[in-house]
Amino acid sequence: MKPFGIVIHGGAGTVSKTKMTKWKAEAYKQALKRAYTVGFLTLQKGGSSLQAVKEAIIILEDCPLFNAGKGSVFTHAGSIEMDAALMDGKRMQAGAVAGVQQVKNPILLAERVLKKSRHVLISGAQALEYAREQGLEIEEQSYFEEEERLKQYQRALAKDNIGLDHDEEPEKYGTVGAVALDKKGNLAAATSTGGMVNKKYGRVGDSPLIGIGTYANNNSCAISCTGHGEFFIRSVVAHEVSARMLYKGESLEEASNYIIKDELVRLGGRGGLIGIDQAGNMVMPFNTKGMYRGFKNSNGEEFVGIFKG
Ligand code: ASP
């Protein structure tokens, strides 16, 4: 049997271990488990990796615990502006949205861009227009305004922090991502995020940028990143992993460990990524104290974790 499987993340940079209550950890784990299980069942039935990653992301976008869709963070101006991307490694097709407001599931808009538009990345008010045109679900801003996020926003405003909120560790970035390999050997990647709390001037992070926060290529790997986007953009992370595999002959593990644990650490960039290759090898490296993550594969292996080890 050909291998298949799905890996997901719910963001690098978690609340510190001491502040993580048992109940909260359990809630995160349940949500992650639900997301990869939905994706895995699709793969098991012979569905495409593109469909599986999209389905996993929708579960996480609808869950207020994560910084994507419903649980997205506030911008400096008090709005909620989301980024998302989806890439098909077989056809090398991609769709992405940046700075989009009110769209309940930005990943569905990214999918429309991929499948129905002649563009790869659309942004802002006109992207919302396109979502309306496509009949996607639109919500009032109040739908996204979670109380925890409001408090986080107020703390960030008071300290003039961007994306930083916690004493010891940049507050959970909380982006969500999924990568999958289907029975036909096709790879796909998806990422969705509210970006960084208190972000200014229409800031766009790495998540919707193809080859940076999101990338899939059947010849190498599928990658979804999470962390301090500015650093990931400058290191062109996702494509760099793929390029090291293709041109240097590194394994997925070697390439992604190098970028996350060596290069980004040297530059001061915090975060992690998830990846999968055509043999079904999976990786989840991160250089923060934790990363919400999980996977399930055709060998019957399954995992969900938050902290190191
Ligand atoms: N990478 C995202 C960004 O910079 C944040 C995250 O991963 O949570 O927008």
Side-chain angles (χ1 to χ4, degrees):
M1 185 185 63
K2 279 200 161 181
F4 61 92
I6 182 164
V7 193
I8 63 166
H9 71 75
T14 60
V15 294
S16 64
K17 222 170 183 168
T18 48
K19 288 195 180 158
M20 176 66 83
T21 62
K22 219 173 155 190
W23 177 87
K24 209 166 185 187
E26 204 40 48
Y28 275 108
K29 286 184 180 171
Q30 287 303 328
L32 291 166
K33 208 169 166 161
R34 212 161 359 106
Y36 70 63
T37 303
V38 164
F40 183 81
L41 289 174
T42 290
L43 296 171
Q44 202 170 38
K45 283 186 282 190
S48 72
S49 49
L50 199 65
Q51 178 72 13
V53 294
K54 179 188 80 180
E55 289 171 352
I57 296 288
I58 290 174
I59 301 269
L60 299 170
E61 282 180 341
D62 289 344
C63 174
L65 290 172
F66 302 98
N67 173 18
K70 182 158 176 55
S72 292
V73 297
F74 286 84
T75 70
H76 183 71
S79 56
I80 285 163
E81 300 177 9
M82 300 167 286
D83 303 334
L86 182 65
M87 184 157 182
D88 171 358
K90 179 185 176 193
R91 298 180 195 85
M92 299 288 285
Q93 287 178 342
V97 297
V100 69
Q101 300 190 34
Q102 289 184 261
V103 176
K104 181 170 182 251
N105 293 108
I107 200 66
L108 289 177
L109 184 54
E111 183 190 36
R112 296 300 165 100
V113 175
L114 186 157
K115 293 190 170 160
K116 304 226 158 132
S117 82
R118 283 174 291 171
H119 304 302
V120 168
L121 172 61
I122 63 173
S123 69
Q126 293 185 63
L128 172 56
E129 252 337 275
Y130 184 57
R132 285 210 168 92
E133 227 177 270
Q134 289 292 316
L136 296 183
E137 265 181 271
I138 308 295
E139 297 284 353
E140 291 302 321
Q141 172 156 321
S142 55
Y143 163 82
F144 302 91
E145 289 175 345
E146 290 294 319
E147 189 158 343
E148 281 293 307
R149 294 298 183 201
L150 197 59
K151 287 187 199 152
Q152 181 191 37
Y153 167 54
Q154 284 156 353
R155 288 195 296 267
L157 271 183
K159 293 188 196 160
D160 195 28
N161 277 338
I162 295 179
L164 307 175
D165 186 29
H166 207 264
D167 314 340
E168 317 131 48
E169 171 119 306
E171 173 106 359
K172 29 178 187 163
Y173 296 114
T175 291
V176 305
V179 295
L181 167 70
D182 63 31
K183 286 183 173 170
K184 291 190 177 139
N186 293 318
L187 295 171
T191 313
S192 182
T193 186
M196 291 176 94
V197 63
N198 199 25
K199 63 185 180 182
K200 298 176 180 174
Y201 322 122
R203 178 262 190 194
V204 174
D206 59 309
S207 311
L209 304 181
I210 300 305
I212 300 182
T214 309
Y215 188 67
N217 178 345
N218 270 9
N219 295 320
S220 53
C221 57
I223 302 285
S224 169
C225 299
T226 170
H228 195 152
E230 280 67 10
F231 290 87
F232 281 70
I233 293 172
R234 290 183 294 232
S235 289
V236 199
V237 171
H239 188 264
E240 189 72 6
V241 173
S242 165
R244 291 182 77 91
M245 292 173 70
L246 288 173
Y247 311 141
K248 252 185 141 219
E250 288 186 350
S251 67
L252 171 63
E253 189 175 5
E254 286 165 342
S256 52
N257 275 342
Y258 173 77
I259 307 288
I260 297 294
K261 297 184 177 171
D262 191 327
E263 181 168 321
L264 279 178
V265 169
R266 246 183 299 120
L267 297 171
R270 313 187 64 167
L273 62 76
I274 52 170
I276 190 166
D277 66 15
Q278 266 206 327
N281 296 307
M282 297 170 159
V283 294
M284 308 180 287
F286 53 96
N287 63 33
T288 44
K289 284 181 191 148
M291 179 169 87
Y292 301 101
R293 61 203 189 278
F295 72 77
K296 186 163 178 156
N297 65 25
S298 49
N299 292 337
E301 293 161 339
E302 180 171 354
F303 168 84
V304 57
I306 299 177
F307 299 102
K308 272 198 189 118

